[in-house]
Amino acid sequence: MDTDVLDTLKLALDGGGVTVPESGTVLFLRAEPGPVLPLLPRDRLTCQQAFKPPHDALKAAGYTLLAPGTETFEPAELTLILPPRQKDEARGLYARAMLAAPEGGVVLACLPNTLGAKTAEKTLGEIAGETESLSKNKCRAFWARKDLSVFNTALAEAWVAADQPQPVAGGAMWSRPGLFSWDRVDAGSELLAECIPEDIKGMGADLGAGQGYLTKEVLTHCPKISHMDLYEAEHRAIACATQTLEAFGNVTISWADVARDVPNNRYDFILMNPPFHVGRADAAGLGQTFIQAASRALKPHGSLYMVANRHLPYEATVAACFKQYEIIEDSGGYKVIRADRPKRPK
């Protein structure tokens, strides 16, 4: 999360217009560590986070956390939200927060201006009625008080209904708003699936598995695969991958941080279309972390198959982690890399 967002959210609570209640529950949705937390009463604070790395950081710091799949909340006098980028997912989160809030409860959110903060405030106002806001650090904190006389319950419930797992791409997979390429098969993943040889065999893993599309494709077309382990950090994807792969018995799906939670020296092959951005900016370091994790997780003669945008600088990391590699496909703005025999630390 952008530190400017957290600083602006803190400002709203620290004399900026929103008062932390002296009693009652405080709820923090999509919570992250940062300067906001010390302003909140730890004994009355409950956090929710579906993304594994910040969830684990909050847990390690001793905060009370809801189960990661929780989407129905108890009433809270104050609810803070760090909204997601995707419109339908964000609407669902505003709606769930406002539906759960008691009369007079406040829902407070914050976004960078570049991610449509002004529009987001208007979105909250569509169900809540009147909103207030402050702007600082090129961000906007905005909030609304629950007033049942103006609250649009029907619209809020419609937003929640739209933010649910659903079949997409002609049934090729199950997905939901906010997941990567949520309403269509990603072209990079499709290209990678086409490049996997049908005689691939043994124990495989899908790192950053998302909705499970890659695993479904290889299990459909590669009969010698004995088992697939899927690792995904966004808990909202887990139910979707489970539905996508319902017909297959030889899969295990784990909510996991790929950087820390994948076992070493276990797999004959690994597939991945690694994440490559934070917000709207490229973050090649994420993909490099995935490559390093894959090299540790593979058996000595194992192989990695990965797809990436052509311009992302992954080759040096692949060369540092594997004894040999080649680009086996380069088309449509994507490159598919096969890397063999991971290097072991000396």
Side-chain angles (χ1 to χ4, degrees):
M1 174 57 63
D2 188 337
T3 56
D4 288 339
V5 172
L6 294 171
D7 288 340
T8 307
L9 192 61
K10 176 178 180 290
L11 182 61
L13 294 169
D14 193 10
V18 178
T19 302
V20 177
E22 295 184 359
S23 62
T25 300
V26 176
L27 184 62
F28 195 171
L29 305 181
R30 286 286 183 169
E32 299 211 7
V36 176
L37 292 173
L39 298 180
L40 304 174
R42 185 184 281 245
D43 62 329
R44 295 187 285 118
L45 173 64
T46 301
C47 297
Q48 178 270 344
Q49 176 56 262
F51 193 58
K52 195 69 160 54
H55 176 280
D56 288 353
L58 290 165
K59 184 177 181 180
Y63 287 95
T64 300
L65 283 144
L66 295 171
T70 303
E71 295 186 339
T72 301
F73 309 116
E74 295 298 318
E77 298 300 321
L78 173 64
T79 301
L80 293 80
I81 303 176
L82 294 175
R85 294 174 60 201
Q86 205 277 337
K87 179 180 67 176
D88 292 317
E89 182 188 1
R91 283 177 171 172
L93 199 57
Y94 299 143
R96 290 182 176 97
M98 290 298 301
L99 286 165
E103 179 77 4
V106 173
V107 174
L108 165 65
C110 190
L111 273 175
N113 294 336
T114 55
L115 293 183
K118 192 171 183 179
T119 299
E121 181 181 357
K122 292 179 181 178
T123 298
L124 178 60
E126 287 183 53
I127 56 172
E130 184 179 353
T131 60
E132 298 180 67
S133 63
L134 66 83
S135 295
K136 189 72 173 179
N137 308 315
K138 298 182 180 179
C139 300
R140 177 181 292 251
F142 51 95
W143 59 93
R145 189 174 300 274
K146 178 76 167 284
D147 179 351
L148 286 169
S149 69
V150 297
F151 180 56
N152 192 332
T153 303
L155 183 58
E157 291 175 345
W159 287 358
V160 170
D163 179 35
Q164 300 290 342
Q166 55 198 271
V168 300
M173 62 183 181
W174 279 70
S175 188
R176 70 183 304 181
L179 300 182
F180 173 66
S181 188
W182 87 267
D183 59 351
R184 64 194 182 282
V185 174
D186 169 65
S189 294
E190 191 170 31
L191 180 64
L192 176 57
E194 292 172 354
C195 291
I196 306 302
E198 292 188 1
D199 61 353
I200 199 168
K201 62 183 180 180
M203 184 80 170
D206 185 347
L207 305 190
Q211 304 96 319
Y213 168 79
L214 269 175
T215 291
K216 180 182 179 181
E217 286 298 297
V218 297
L219 288 178
T220 299
H221 298 289
C222 306
K224 295 182 180 180
I225 294 174
S226 60
H227 195 90
M228 287 291 297
D229 285 345
L230 289 77
Y231 297 93
E232 172 55 46
E234 177 50 64
H235 196 275
R236 286 169 57 87
I238 300 299
C240 297
T242 301
Q243 290 273 24
T244 299
L245 297 167
E246 185 178 19
F248 301 92
N250 55 339
V251 298
T252 301
I253 304 171
S254 299
W255 185 49
D257 179 354
V258 164
R260 299 187 299 109
D261 298 336
V262 180
N264 293 341
N265 197 33
R266 178 178 175 85
Y267 298 107
D268 298 298
F269 66 92
I270 287 176
L271 316 175
M272 65 186 192
N273 181 358
F276 60 90
H277 62 266
V278 174
R280 294 184 177 181
D282 282 354
L286 289 173
Q288 291 161 356
T289 296
F290 269 57
I291 294 165
Q292 293 160 354
S295 71
R296 296 190 299 267
L298 284 164
K299 295 176 182 178
H301 294 283
S303 299
L304 167 66
Y305 294 84
M306 67 172 290
V307 66
N309 286 28
R310 182 184 291 143
H311 71 279
L312 291 171
Y314 289 152
E315 284 80 354
T317 304
V318 173
C321 293
F322 290 85
K323 294 178 181 178
Q324 65 184 48
Y325 79 91
E326 61 178 322
I327 297 175
I328 59 175
E329 184 65 59
D330 185 346
S331 64
Y334 298 96
K335 56 189 174 186
V336 176
I337 299 173
R338 172 176 172 161
D340 298 298
R341 296 186 297 153
K343 295 179 181 179
R344 301 300 188 210
K346 296 181 180 179

